[in-house]
């Protein structure tokens, strides 16, 4: 459903949020390794999130990426998805067809509308702080 850049972005922002909640800044290399994504690709994703004021990039030897604690209560997953993927996840066809709407529905149209609406609600009601506080284990450092 999500593009690779959105998947990496969501994983990265959750990881940064976890570290920020512990007052830690994290480097690009650390983030890339933790979320298992190519470093150059991760850099581009993080650059987009920085430009849109979702995360903060601090330069220098003691720098890294952080999310300000007061922002964790207001940043929703939908904010990240919109920046990285736009709103096509809420409007596109579940089968990827160009012509699919109420007048010309594909075989999955009505079922996919339900799924899309549930996904939209989930993304719009889930904040970073909710995820950080709900995660009882560090999923990024498990060797599964």
């Amino acid at each position: 459903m999500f593009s690779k850049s959105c998947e990496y972005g969501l994983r990265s922002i959750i990881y940064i949020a976890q570290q920020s909640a512990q007052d830690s800044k994290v480097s690009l290399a650390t983030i890339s390794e933790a979320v298992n994504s190519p470093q150059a690709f991760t850099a581009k994703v993080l650059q987009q999130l920085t430009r849109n004021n979702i995360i903060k990039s601090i330069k220098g030897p003691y720098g890294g990426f952080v999310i300000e604690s007061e922002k964790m209560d207001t940043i929703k997953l939908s904010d990240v998805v919109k920046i990285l993927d736009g709103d096509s996840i809420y409007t596109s066809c579940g089968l990827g067809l160009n012509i699919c709407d109420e007048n010309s529905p594909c075989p999955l149209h009505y079922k996919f509308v339900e799924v899309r609406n549930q996904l939209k609600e989930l993304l719009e009601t889930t904040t970073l702080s909710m995820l950080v506080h709900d995660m009882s284990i560090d999923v990024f450092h498990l060797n599964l």
Side-chain angles (χ1 to χ4, degrees), residues 24-132:
S24 294
K25 297 177 211 90
V26 284
S27 70
L28 171 61
T30 302
I31 296 165
S32 178
E33 183 179 329
V35 303
N36 194 28
S37 70
Q39 194 166 338
F41 197 77
T42 305
K44 289 180 183 180
V45 170
L46 295 179
Q47 186 178 47
Q48 285 182 278
L49 295 174
T50 301
R51 283 185 185 150
N52 285 278
N53 297 314
I54 299 291
I55 60 176
K56 188 175 180 180
S57 174
I58 300 170
K59 307 284 185 209
Y62 299 103
F65 291 93
V66 295
I67 299 172
E68 297 162 341
S69 59
E70 59 275 1
K71 282 190 165 188
M72 283 204 240
D73 290 329
T74 60
I75 296 171
K76 297 177 180 76
L77 294 183
S78 60
D79 299 327
V80 178
V81 172
K82 185 173 185 175
I83 290 166
L84 299 174
D85 274 358
D87 67 352
S88 64
I89 194 163
Y90 306 128
T91 59
S92 62
C93 172
L95 293 176
L97 301 175
N98 290 332
I99 300 173
C100 175
D101 58 26
E102 293 291 321
N103 298 325
S104 301
C106 75
L108 292 180
H109 181 79
Y110 295 107
K111 290 185 186 246
F112 193 69
V113 167
E114 291 176 36
V115 171
R116 233 182 7 219
N117 290 340
Q118 290 173 351
L119 178 62
K120 185 174 184 176
E121 182 179 338
L122 171 92
L123 295 174
E124 290 180 347
T125 59
T126 305
T127 64
L128 288 180
S129 62
M130 291 167 67
L131 290 176
V132 169

